[in-house]
Amino acid sequence: MDDFSWRANPIKSDGAERNQAILKALRSRSLKAALFVRASNIVEDEGKNLLRAWDTEGHLIGNHTFSHLYYNNSKVTAETFSEDILRAEDLLKAFPHFQKIFRFPYLKEGETAAKRDAIRRFLSQQGYRVGHVTIDTSDWIVDDRLRKRLAKDESADLSGYRQFYLDHMWERTLYYDELSQNVVKRSVKHTILMHFNLLNALFLGDLIDMFSSKGWQVIDAVEAFRDPVFLTQPKTVPAGESIIWALAKETGRFDKVLRYPGEDGEYETAKMDKLGL
Ligand SMILES: [Zn+2]
């Protein structure tokens, strides 16, 4: 789960309530997730206190930079980006469940080979691993639409958003799992992208239960990240996206089933328009 933007969009619930709802969904299913924190969200005591709840419950805490820069922007140098990672680490290292695991904002790892390799060298020198996603998604656009509906009508029926969200996550899961079987020749231990938002405060429990009901085993993030696929370093440019996407791109053999970017809100908005969401 990314960003930890607990201050954002306090409609229906505030950051503290969302924190409790998300933690409860995980706790009641005995699951330990990974939270990749944008550390500008924990400068103040309130943010630190909310994060402490994750730490106390034993969830993995990772680095997602301080200011969430878009690394594929030519104005963002490897040096600037590296400093932003260290600035985040200064705040995160106080939490016992913080580990040196890094998730790139927007899953963007550099628009040139030089920048890609420079940041890989930096992360390796600093003792970091990359906390890739294998299953990329656009949960954030569903959250965006749901909040817009609530802004118009706070008692709106949200069941359509719930169903769209579950269908979207399952559809993307099947796509990336098939790609994994074709490229890596096995179904890897998957990690799925999602964000700290109202959508997950409402439906994370349903999402986890959906995977279980379809026969998938839902595992702790620490266990998933032990899969050797997370140590691969595909030499694609622009670098990034899902690690499975990037490994597929690197072979040059899957271009028919690869779009760029791998996921985007734009891919989902027409479908939601059609459903009146
Ligand atoms: Zn992010």
Side-chain angles (χ1 to χ4, degrees):
M1 182 169 283
D2 285 13
D3 297 351
F4 201 47
S5 302
W6 57 271
R7 282 190 215 85
N9 313 305
I11 189 166
K12 198 115 174 153
S13 58
D14 64 17
E17 289 164 336
R18 289 176 194 177
N19 209 42
Q20 277 316 308
I22 289 167
L23 287 169
K24 187 181 170 199
L26 295 167
R27 187 190 315 126
S28 62
R29 291 164 183 81
S30 303
L31 283 171
K32 306 290 185 210
L35 181 66
F36 291 92
V37 179
R38 173 184 173 163
S40 61
N41 287 317
I42 58 159
V43 172
E44 296 148 30
D45 283 348
E46 193 177 354
K48 287 190 181 77
N49 289 337
L50 293 174
L51 182 58
R52 199 160 293 121
W54 287 75
D55 191 62
T56 306
E57 296 199 30
H59 298 288
L60 172 61
I61 295 170
N63 188 330
H64 194 46
T65 74
F66 183 86
S67 16
H68 211 265
L69 297 170
Y70 190 88
Y71 190 49
N72 284 12
N73 181 332
S74 60
K75 288 179 190 144
V76 179
T77 64
E79 195 182 12
T80 304
F81 196 73
S82 306
E83 284 166 7
D84 207 48
I85 295 171
L86 293 179
R87 193 175 171 197
E89 185 183 312
D90 268 344
L91 287 156
L92 291 166
K93 67 186 179 191
F95 294 85
H97 287 90
F98 166 68
Q99 283 186 23
K100 287 192 170 182
I101 185 162
F102 179 71
R103 176 161 293 168
F104 284 88
Y106 314 98
L107 311 182
K108 298 296 181 263
E109 303 181 28
E111 82 285 18
T112 64
K115 272 177 73 176
R116 176 196 71 201
D117 294 344
I119 206 65
R120 283 180 181 174
R121 266 195 309 279
F122 170 81
L123 288 168
S124 159
Q125 282 161 4
Q126 294 292 324
Y128 273 90
R129 304 175 279 153
V130 177
H132 293 283
V133 307
T134 63
I135 301 164
D136 193 359
T137 75
S138 297
D139 71 320
W140 58 272
I141 192 75
V142 188
D143 179 72
D144 189 63
R145 289 293 191 100
L146 178 148
R147 284 185 290 96
K148 281 181 179 145
R149 171 63 58 87
L150 286 171
K152 283 188 202 147
D153 171 12
E154 192 145 6
S155 60
D157 175 15
L158 301 179
S159 57
Y161 296 89
R162 175 186 172 279
Q163 196 57 51
F164 187 87
Y165 179 44
L166 297 180
D167 291 346
H168 169 64
M169 298 298 259
W170 182 241
E171 184 212 358
R172 294 294 81 204
T173 295
L174 294 180
Y175 168 80
Y176 285 101
D177 189 51
E178 187 184 350
L179 199 55
S180 169
Q181 292 180 43
N182 288 331
V183 179
V184 192
K185 304 298 175 200
R186 65 192 175 88
S187 185
V188 298
K189 291 184 176 176
H190 286 289
T191 53
I192 188 165
L193 180 69
M194 61 185 69
H195 293 82
F196 185 97
N197 54 29
L198 173 60
L199 183 75
N200 283 307
L202 292 169
F203 304 130
L204 177 61
D206 294 343
L207 180 71
I208 297 167
D209 293 345
M210 176 191 75
F211 279 99
S212 300
S213 75
K214 290 182 185 289
W216 279 50
Q217 187 190 354
V218 186
I219 58 175
D220 292 347
V222 167
E223 187 189 339
F225 282 124
R226 282 192 197 116
D227 193 301
V229 75
F230 295 104
L231 299 176
T232 57
Q233 297 194 322
K235 289 195 180 307
T236 49
V237 174
E241 312 303 292
S242 144
I243 187 66
I244 303 296
W245 189 100
L247 288 167
K249 187 73 185 172
E250 188 181 34
T251 69
R253 291 188 287 112
F254 294 92
D255 286 358
K256 270 188 199 152
V257 297
L258 298 177
R259 57 189 182 185
Y260 189 83
E263 302 301 328
D264 200 318
E266 281 181 20
Y267 302 145
E268 309 307 322
T269 47
K271 292 182 233 170
M272 283 190 278
D273 286 344
K274 215 170 174 182
L275 292 165
L277 299 173

